[in-house]
Amino acid sequence: MSLPRLEIDLEKISHNARTLVDRLAGHGIAVTGVTKATLGSPEIARAMLEGGVCDLGDARIENIEAMRLAHVQARMSLIRSPMLSQAKRVVMSADVSFNTEVDVVRRLSREACAMGRTHAVMLMVELGDLREGIMPADLLAVVSETLSLPNIVLKGIGTNLACRSGASPDDANMRILSELAASMEATFDISIETVSGGNSANLNWAFSGTDTGLVNDLRLGESILLGRETLYRNPIDGLHTDAISLVAEVIESKLKPTMPTGNLAQSAFGQCSVPINHGDIVQTILAIGIQDIDPHGLRPPDGTEILGCSSDHLITTSSAVDIVPIGTEMTFQLDYSALIRAMTSPFVTKSINSASQLDYQTPKIVERLSA
Ligand SMILES: *Cc1c(COP(=O)(O)O)cnc(C)c1O
C-alpha cells in the first residue's frame, strides 16, 4: 500500500456519529455532520450519514460540490459565510448557507431568483468568541431584511464558540441564543426551524444535564472523526479515538550526535530551539513533513519521540537504541491540526478500511469541478 497514508476506518466513524446522534437525541438535539476536515470525502460523508447525522455541513463550497458530484444524498450547508464571488455556486450546490452580512444574503437572493430556486439562510450570532457573527443588538434588523428578500428562506440562527478565542459554550451564552430565537419568533410571528448551538466544543455543555433550551442542532466534525470533545480534548466515553491514523515510512536511521555543529542561524522554518546534549542517539527519519502534517499534532508510537521536522522530513528517536530497518512503517495518531493538513495533502494517500477496501488518491479540486 502507498506511503505515507491515512488509514480511515469508516465503521469507527459511523459508530462515533451514531453514538453522538443517539445521546444528543435524548436532549432534542440533531447533528449536522461537518466534513470540512476530510476535503469533502464522499466515503466519510456517507459514513456520517450512516451514523444518523441529519445534514452535512462544510466550510468550503468546493467540498460540497465534490460531494454532490459523488451523489452523496443529503441536505448540505455551507457553514462559512459565502464569498460574494462564489454566491452563484453556493445557491447552485448548497441548500443552506450560514450568513453574517446582509450584502451576501442580498446577492444569494438575486442568484436564487435568477436560477428559480430558493436558498435557505442561517444567521450566525456573535456570542463572545469573536469570530463570525452578527452582534446580538443588530440581529432583528438583519432578520427583518432577510425575511423581505425573495427566494430566501430564513431557516434559523446559530453561533460558533471556542474556535478563535476558546470562549466556551455555557448556560449563559446558550441561554442568550435561545432568547434571541424566541424574540425573533415573537417579533416577526415566524417559527424558527433550527437553533444551532455550536460545534464539538458544545458537547460538555449539552451532556451536563442542563436545560438545552431551544437549541436543536449541533454541527459536529472533530468529535465524530477523532472521538474527543474539543475544550480539553478528552476522549468521549464509548467513542473511537483511532478512527483515522497516519502511517509513514522510515528512509534513514543512524547513530548521530544530539548537538548540531557549526554556527547556528535560522533553519528552514525560522528560529530553532537549542537541543540538550544527550550524546549520540539513533535518529530515524520518516518521509513526511510540514507540507503534509502539523508535527506538533502527531502522537508517535510509545517509546518514540519527535525531535524535529522540515518540509519533507520528520525526525524521531526511539528509546530502543537499535537502528530501525529502512522501509519500516510507523503509525501515528493525529490531532485536528495534523489531520486537516494530511487530508488536504496530495502526497498522503487516503486508505479507506471498510468492507470494500477501497484505496484512493485525493483528487485535484480542479479536476473534480470539471468532471
Ligand atoms: C468547523 C466548524 C464546525 C465543526 O467544528 P468541530 O470542532 O470540528 O466539531 C462547526 N461550525 C462551524 C461554523 C465550523 O466552522
Side-chain angles (χ1 to χ4, degrees):
M1 258 198 282
S2 1
L3 287 147
R5 66 174 177 271
L6 281 171
E7 294 193 337
I8 302 165
D9 188 321
L10 294 181
E11 271 88 49
K12 288 183 178 174
I13 292 171
S14 281
H15 167 90
N16 285 356
R18 168 71 57 200
T19 307
L20 291 167
V21 164
D22 287 349
R23 281 183 203 165
L24 287 165
H27 302 272
I29 296 175
V31 174
T32 296
V34 174
T35 48
K36 70 186 185 206
T38 75
L39 201 63
S41 154
E43 291 84 356
I44 295 178
R46 289 195 183 100
M48 287 184 176
L49 290 165
E50 186 100 343
V53 308
C54 63
D55 285 26
L56 296 175
D58 202 290
R60 314 268 173 156
I61 195 64
E62 293 83 351
N63 291 344
I64 288 179
E65 289 166 343
M67 292 189 288
R68 292 281 188 223
L69 278 176
H71 305 290
V72 174
Q73 299 296 325
R75 187 158 68 168
M76 294 186 200
S77 300
L78 183 70
I79 60 174
R80 182 175 71 182
S81 184
M83 293 181 229
L84 278 181
S85 58
Q86 293 185 332
K88 189 173 180 179
R89 289 165 70 179
V90 172
V91 172
M92 185 85 83
S93 294
D95 306 286
V96 184
S97 62
F98 284 40
N99 284 273
T100 62
E101 292 288 352
V102 170
D103 282 349
V104 176
V105 185
R106 276 197 207 104
R107 178 73 67 88
L108 293 168
S109 166
R110 278 222 312 272
E111 298 292 356
C113 289
M115 271 182 253
R117 293 189 173 206
T118 54
H119 182 75
V121 162
M122 291 280 292
L123 295 176
M124 291 295 269
V125 187
E126 167 61 53
L127 289 180
D129 199 49
L130 302 181
R131 204 180 71 178
E132 78 275 35
I134 299 158
M135 296 305 284
D138 302 330
L139 181 64
L140 292 182
V142 178
V143 170
S144 166
E145 173 89 26
T146 303
L147 290 172
S148 76
L149 289 169
N151 296 44
I152 292 292
V153 175
L154 179 60
K155 180 170 189 277
I157 60 167
T159 195
N160 194 70
L161 294 165
C163 269
R164 179 193 160 191
S165 314
S168 306
D170 58 25
D171 283 342
N173 47 39
M174 288 297 110
R175 190 174 314 117
I176 294 172
L177 186 66
S178 283
E179 284 167 5
L180 288 169
S183 87
M184 283 162 65
E185 292 189 324
T187 308
F188 299 99
D189 193 22
I190 51 175
S191 90
I192 301 287
E193 181 188 328
T194 304
V195 180
S196 189
N199 53 48
S200 298
N202 283 64
L203 290 171
N204 295 351
W205 164 80
F207 295 143
S208 68
T210 189
D211 174 8
T212 48
L214 299 184
V215 172
N216 62 5
D217 174 84
L218 289 180
R219 310 173 304 273
L220 304 180
E222 183 172 346
S223 51
I224 295 176
L225 299 171
L226 297 177
R228 292 172 190 271
E229 56 78 36
T230 55
L231 289 178
Y232 306 100
R233 296 271 158 23
N234 289 320
I236 300 170
D237 240 12
L239 265 59
H240 298 288
T241 55
D242 60 352
I244 306 177
S245 48
L246 176 78
V247 185
E249 179 175 343
V250 171
I251 53 169
E252 182 188 300
S253 185
K254 295 184 189 308
L255 197 64
K256 291 195 182 183
T258 25
M259 300 303 286
T261 46
N263 293 317
L264 299 185
Q266 288 190 3
S267 75
F269 293 91
Q271 220 61 45
C272 294
S273 56
V274 181
I276 299 161
N277 195 352
H278 294 299
D280 286 357
I281 55 167
V282 173
Q283 176 183 295
T284 297
I285 301 182
L286 295 121
I288 194 159
I290 289 173
Q291 287 197 66
D292 316 296
I293 40 94
D294 175 356
H296 303 291
L298 289 184
R299 207 179 74 230
D302 284 347
T304 299
E305 186 192 340
I306 294 172
L307 297 175
C309 197
S310 62
S311 336
D312 313 293
H313 297 80
L314 180 70
I315 300 131
T316 66
T317 190
S318 157
S319 50
V321 284
D322 287 348
I323 298 280
V324 179
I326 304 310
T328 298
E329 295 187 2
M330 216 181 265
T331 301
F332 297 80
Q333 298 304 313
L334 307 99
D335 75 0
Y336 192 69
S337 166
L339 175 68
I340 55 175
R341 226 182 280 178
M343 275 285 183
T344 49
S345 169
F347 303 104
V348 179
T349 296
K350 285 71 186 179
S351 169
I352 304 228
N353 304 333
S354 70
S356 61
Q357 281 295 333
L358 181 65
D359 204 9
Y360 79 100
Q361 195 74 36
T362 307
K364 290 202 186 66
I365 283 172
V366 258
E367 286 171 6
R368 289 193 318 213
L369 297 187
S370 57

mmCIF file of all heavy atoms in Angstrom, residues 34 36 59 79-80 98 124 131-132 159-160 163 198-201 219-223 230 233 336, ligand 1:
data_model
loop_
_atom_site.group_PDB
_atom_site.id
_atom_site.type_symbol
_atom_site.label_atom_id
_atom_site.label_comp_id
_atom_site.label_asym_id
_atom_site.label_seq_id
_atom_site.Cartn_x
_atom_site.Cartn_y
_atom_site.Cartn_z
ATOM 1 N N VAL A 34 -20.045 17.540 10.093
ATOM 2 C CA VAL A 34 -19.173 18.516 9.421
ATOM 3 C C VAL A 34 -18.006 17.789 8.743
ATOM 4 O O VAL A 34 -17.221 17.103 9.395
ATOM 5 C CB VAL A 34 -18.682 19.583 10.421
ATOM 6 C CG1 VAL A 34 -17.667 20.514 9.745
ATOM 7 C CG2 VAL A 34 -19.863 20.388 10.946
ATOM 8 N N LYS A 36 -15.610 19.245 6.700
ATOM 9 C CA LYS A 36 -14.557 20.116 6.137
ATOM 10 C C LYS A 36 -13.144 19.584 6.382
ATOM 11 O O LYS A 36 -12.255 19.866 5.600
ATOM 12 C CB LYS A 36 -14.695 21.534 6.670
ATOM 13 C CG LYS A 36 -14.349 21.682 8.135
ATOM 14 C CD LYS A 36 -14.656 23.069 8.633
ATOM 15 C CE LYS A 36 -14.186 23.214 10.063
ATOM 16 N NZ LYS A 36 -14.927 24.223 10.804
ATOM 17 N N ALA A 59 -17.257 23.991 5.236
ATOM 18 C CA ALA A 59 -16.901 25.409 5.161
ATOM 19 C C ALA A 59 -16.506 25.834 3.750
ATOM 20 O O ALA A 59 -16.378 27.029 3.484
ATOM 21 C CB ALA A 59 -15.754 25.701 6.127
ATOM 22 N N ILE A 79 -21.121 26.215 5.941
ATOM 23 C CA ILE A 79 -21.117 26.744 7.310
ATOM 24 C C ILE A 79 -20.174 27.928 7.489
ATOM 25 O O ILE A 79 -19.996 28.404 8.599
ATOM 26 C CB ILE A 79 -20.816 25.634 8.349
ATOM 27 C CG1 ILE A 79 -19.442 25.012 8.077
ATOM 28 C CG2 ILE A 79 -21.917 24.575 8.331
ATOM 29 C CD1 ILE A 79 -19.013 24.020 9.143
ATOM 30 N N ARG A 80 -19.536 28.374 6.420
ATOM 31 C CA ARG A 80 -18.807 29.641 6.462
ATOM 32 C C ARG A 80 -19.556 30.626 5.576
ATOM 33 O O ARG A 80 -20.129 30.238 4.560
ATOM 34 C CB ARG A 80 -17.383 29.463 5.928
ATOM 35 C CG ARG A 80 -16.555 30.752 5.995
ATOM 36 C CD ARG A 80 -15.118 30.541 5.573
ATOM 37 N NE ARG A 80 -14.984 30.312 4.146
ATOM 38 C CZ ARG A 80 -13.830 30.067 3.532
ATOM 39 N NH1 ARG A 80 -12.711 30.005 4.231
ATOM 40 N NH2 ARG A 80 -13.781 29.861 2.232
ATOM 41 N N PHE A 98 -24.651 29.664 5.926
ATOM 42 C CA PHE A 98 -24.588 30.396 7.189
ATOM 43 C C PHE A 98 -24.109 31.802 6.866
ATOM 44 O O PHE A 98 -23.106 31.957 6.165
ATOM 45 C CB PHE A 98 -23.605 29.713 8.145
ATOM 46 C CG PHE A 98 -24.159 28.454 8.768
ATOM 47 C CD1 PHE A 98 -24.929 27.562 8.037
ATOM 48 C CD2 PHE A 98 -23.903 28.168 10.106
ATOM 49 C CE1 PHE A 98 -25.440 26.411 8.618
ATOM 50 C CE2 PHE A 98 -24.415 27.017 10.690
ATOM 51 C CZ PHE A 98 -25.174 26.137 9.954
ATOM 52 N N MET A 124 -25.780 33.717 11.721
ATOM 53 C CA MET A 124 -24.863 33.428 12.822
ATOM 54 C C MET A 124 -24.741 34.646 13.735
ATOM 55 O O MET A 124 -24.624 35.786 13.253
ATOM 56 C CB MET A 124 -23.484 33.049 12.280
ATOM 57 C CG MET A 124 -23.461 31.719 11.568
ATOM 58 S SD MET A 124 -23.826 30.346 12.693
ATOM 59 C CE MET A 124 -22.167 29.913 13.229
ATOM 60 N N ARG A 131 -15.254 35.400 16.414
ATOM 61 C CA ARG A 131 -15.006 35.011 15.033
ATOM 62 C C ARG A 131 -16.211 35.551 14.271
ATOM 63 O O ARG A 131 -16.494 36.735 14.384
ATOM 64 C CB ARG A 131 -14.800 33.491 14.895
ATOM 65 C CG ARG A 131 -13.982 33.138 13.645
ATOM 66 C CD ARG A 131 -13.753 31.652 13.451
ATOM 67 N NE ARG A 131 -14.972 30.947 13.071
ATOM 68 C CZ ARG A 131 -15.037 29.643 12.803
ATOM 69 N NH1 ARG A 131 -13.942 28.900 12.906
ATOM 70 N NH2 ARG A 131 -16.161 29.078 12.458
ATOM 71 N N GLU A 132 -16.938 34.713 13.531
ATOM 72 C CA GLU A 132 -18.025 35.255 12.730
ATOM 73 C C GLU A 132 -19.277 35.463 13.579
ATOM 74 O O GLU A 132 -19.485 34.774 14.569
ATOM 75 C CB GLU A 132 -18.345 34.338 11.538
ATOM 76 C CG GLU A 132 -19.172 33.099 11.865
ATOM 77 C CD GLU A 132 -18.334 31.920 12.342
ATOM 78 O OE1 GLU A 132 -17.319 32.135 13.038
ATOM 79 O OE2 GLU A 132 -18.733 30.779 12.036
ATOM 80 N N THR A 159 -24.672 29.893 16.429
ATOM 81 C CA THR A 159 -23.490 30.589 16.920
ATOM 82 C C THR A 159 -22.323 29.627 16.876
ATOM 83 O O THR A 159 -22.507 28.407 16.741
ATOM 84 C CB THR A 159 -23.703 31.144 18.338
ATOM 85 O OG1 THR A 159 -22.663 32.095 18.636
ATOM 86 C CG2 THR A 159 -23.669 30.042 19.395
ATOM 87 N N ASN A 160 -21.131 30.170 16.958
ATOM 88 C CA ASN A 160 -19.936 29.338 16.949
ATOM 89 C C ASN A 160 -18.976 29.844 18.022
ATOM 90 O O ASN A 160 -18.613 31.007 18.025
ATOM 91 C CB ASN A 160 -19.261 29.402 15.578
ATOM 92 C CG ASN A 160 -18.238 28.307 15.404
ATOM 93 O OD1 ASN A 160 -18.598 27.139 15.285
ATOM 94 N ND2 ASN A 160 -16.966 28.659 15.420
ATOM 95 N N CYS A 163 -13.598 28.575 18.811
ATOM 96 C CA CYS A 163 -12.749 28.345 17.630
ATOM 97 C C CYS A 163 -11.606 29.341 17.541
ATOM 98 O O CYS A 163 -10.469 28.976 17.351
ATOM 99 C CB CYS A 163 -13.569 28.371 16.346
ATOM 100 S SG CYS A 163 -14.154 26.727 15.894
ATOM 101 N N GLY A 198 -23.699 25.178 18.147
ATOM 102 C CA GLY A 198 -22.248 25.234 18.033
ATOM 103 C C GLY A 198 -21.657 23.944 17.520
ATOM 104 O O GLY A 198 -22.321 23.184 16.804
ATOM 105 N N ASN A 199 -20.407 23.703 17.907
ATOM 106 C CA ASN A 199 -19.603 22.604 17.353
ATOM 107 C C ASN A 199 -19.255 21.578 18.432
ATOM 108 O O ASN A 199 -19.924 21.509 19.460
ATOM 109 C CB ASN A 199 -18.353 23.209 16.708
ATOM 110 C CG ASN A 199 -17.614 24.105 17.690
ATOM 111 O OD1 ASN A 199 -17.364 23.725 18.827
ATOM 112 N ND2 ASN A 199 -17.287 25.309 17.258
ATOM 113 N N SER A 200 -18.203 20.814 18.213
ATOM 114 C CA SER A 200 -17.821 19.765 19.172
ATOM 115 C C SER A 200 -17.503 20.324 20.563
ATOM 116 O O SER A 200 -17.516 19.583 21.547
ATOM 117 C CB SER A 200 -16.606 18.988 18.661
ATOM 118 O OG SER A 200 -16.904 18.328 17.447
ATOM 119 N N ALA A 201 -17.210 21.609 20.636
ATOM 120 C CA ALA A 201 -16.939 22.232 21.933
ATOM 121 C C ALA A 201 -18.212 22.357 22.777
ATOM 122 O O ALA A 201 -18.144 22.657 23.969
ATOM 123 C CB ALA A 201 -16.313 23.608 21.732
ATOM 124 N N ARG A 219 -23.297 21.169 15.198
ATOM 125 C CA ARG A 219 -22.529 20.865 13.993
ATOM 126 C C ARG A 219 -21.226 20.189 14.443
ATOM 127 O O ARG A 219 -20.361 20.833 15.025
ATOM 128 C CB ARG A 219 -22.223 22.166 13.237
ATOM 129 C CG ARG A 219 -23.472 23.042 13.032
ATOM 130 C CD ARG A 219 -23.126 24.396 12.448
ATOM 131 N NE ARG A 219 -22.165 25.148 13.219
ATOM 132 C CZ ARG A 219 -22.459 25.960 14.238
ATOM 133 N NH1 ARG A 219 -23.719 26.134 14.635
ATOM 134 N NH2 ARG A 219 -21.502 26.606 14.887
ATOM 135 N N LEU A 220 -21.123 18.893 14.186
ATOM 136 C CA LEU A 220 -20.010 18.135 14.759
ATOM 137 C C LEU A 220 -19.076 17.576 13.692
ATOM 138 O O LEU A 220 -19.499 16.874 12.784
ATOM 139 C CB LEU A 220 -20.546 16.982 15.612
ATOM 140 C CG LEU A 220 -21.506 17.348 16.739
ATOM 141 C CD1 LEU A 220 -21.934 16.090 17.492
ATOM 142 C CD2 LEU A 220 -20.876 18.353 17.706
ATOM 143 N N GLY A 221 -17.795 17.901 13.815
ATOM 144 C CA GLY A 221 -16.781 17.351 12.923
ATOM 145 C C GLY A 221 -15.753 16.564 13.715
ATOM 146 O O GLY A 221 -15.736 15.333 13.724
ATOM 147 N N GLU A 222 -14.919 17.305 14.443
ATOM 148 C CA GLU A 222 -13.794 16.673 15.144
ATOM 149 C C GLU A 222 -14.218 15.557 16.090
ATOM 150 O O GLU A 222 -13.578 14.513 16.166
ATOM 151 C CB GLU A 222 -13.004 17.754 15.914
ATOM 152 C CG GLU A 222 -11.778 17.188 16.618
ATOM 153 C CD GLU A 222 -10.875 18.246 17.233
ATOM 154 O OE1 GLU A 222 -11.026 19.447 16.901
ATOM 155 O OE2 GLU A 222 -10.015 17.872 18.050
ATOM 156 N N SER A 223 -15.318 15.751 16.815
ATOM 157 C CA SER A 223 -15.719 14.720 17.786
ATOM 158 C C SER A 223 -16.103 13.420 17.085
ATOM 159 O O SER A 223 -15.874 12.331 17.616
ATOM 160 C CB SER A 223 -16.865 15.220 18.667
ATOM 161 O OG SER A 223 -17.909 15.744 17.866
ATOM 162 N N THR A 230 -13.707 19.053 22.393
ATOM 163 C CA THR A 230 -12.626 19.916 21.931
ATOM 164 C C THR A 230 -12.250 21.041 22.890
ATOM 165 O O THR A 230 -11.387 21.853 22.568
ATOM 166 C CB THR A 230 -12.987 20.506 20.552
ATOM 167 O OG1 THR A 230 -14.243 21.169 20.653
ATOM 168 C CG2 THR A 230 -13.088 19.419 19.500
ATOM 169 N N ARG A 233 -9.966 18.325 24.940
ATOM 170 C CA ARG A 233 -9.509 17.209 24.111
ATOM 171 C C ARG A 233 -9.517 15.900 24.890
ATOM 172 O O ARG A 233 -8.679 15.017 24.692
ATOM 173 C CB ARG A 233 -8.132 17.504 23.515
ATOM 174 C CG ARG A 233 -8.160 18.707 22.537
ATOM 175 C CD ARG A 233 -8.457 18.294 21.166
ATOM 176 N NE ARG A 233 -8.999 19.191 20.159
ATOM 177 C CZ ARG A 233 -8.983 20.508 20.027
ATOM 178 N NH1 ARG A 233 -8.453 21.272 20.921
ATOM 179 N NH2 ARG A 233 -9.506 21.098 18.989
ATOM 180 N N TYR A 336 -6.461 17.443 15.367
ATOM 181 C CA TYR A 336 -7.221 18.075 14.290
ATOM 182 C C TYR A 336 -6.321 18.796 13.303
ATOM 183 O O TYR A 336 -6.501 18.732 12.088
ATOM 184 C CB TYR A 336 -8.220 19.050 14.917
ATOM 185 C CG TYR A 336 -9.257 19.557 13.956
ATOM 186 C CD1 TYR A 336 -10.238 18.716 13.467
ATOM 187 C CD2 TYR A 336 -9.250 20.884 13.536
ATOM 188 C CE1 TYR A 336 -11.199 19.184 12.582
ATOM 189 C CE2 TYR A 336 -10.203 21.356 12.659
ATOM 190 C CZ TYR A 336 -11.183 20.501 12.190
ATOM 191 O OH TYR A 336 -12.123 20.962 11.318
HETATM 192 C C1 LIG B 1 -15.548 23.736 11.789
HETATM 193 C C2 LIG B 1 -16.870 24.195 12.186
HETATM 194 C C3 LIG B 1 -17.712 23.338 12.911
HETATM 195 C C4 LIG B 1 -17.282 21.967 13.362
HETATM 196 O O1 LIG B 1 -16.335 22.077 14.383
HETATM 197 P P1 LIG B 1 -15.739 20.776 15.114
HETATM 198 O O2 LIG B 1 -14.920 21.320 16.203
HETATM 199 O O3 LIG B 1 -14.964 20.042 14.076
HETATM 200 O O4 LIG B 1 -16.904 19.994 15.603
HETATM 201 C C5 LIG B 1 -18.966 23.800 13.228
HETATM 202 N N1 LIG B 1 -19.390 25.028 12.858
HETATM 203 C C6 LIG B 1 -18.614 25.880 12.164
HETATM 204 C C7 LIG B 1 -19.162 27.218 11.798
HETATM 205 C C8 LIG B 1 -17.329 25.494 11.813
HETATM 206 O O5 LIG B 1 -16.563 26.349 11.110
#
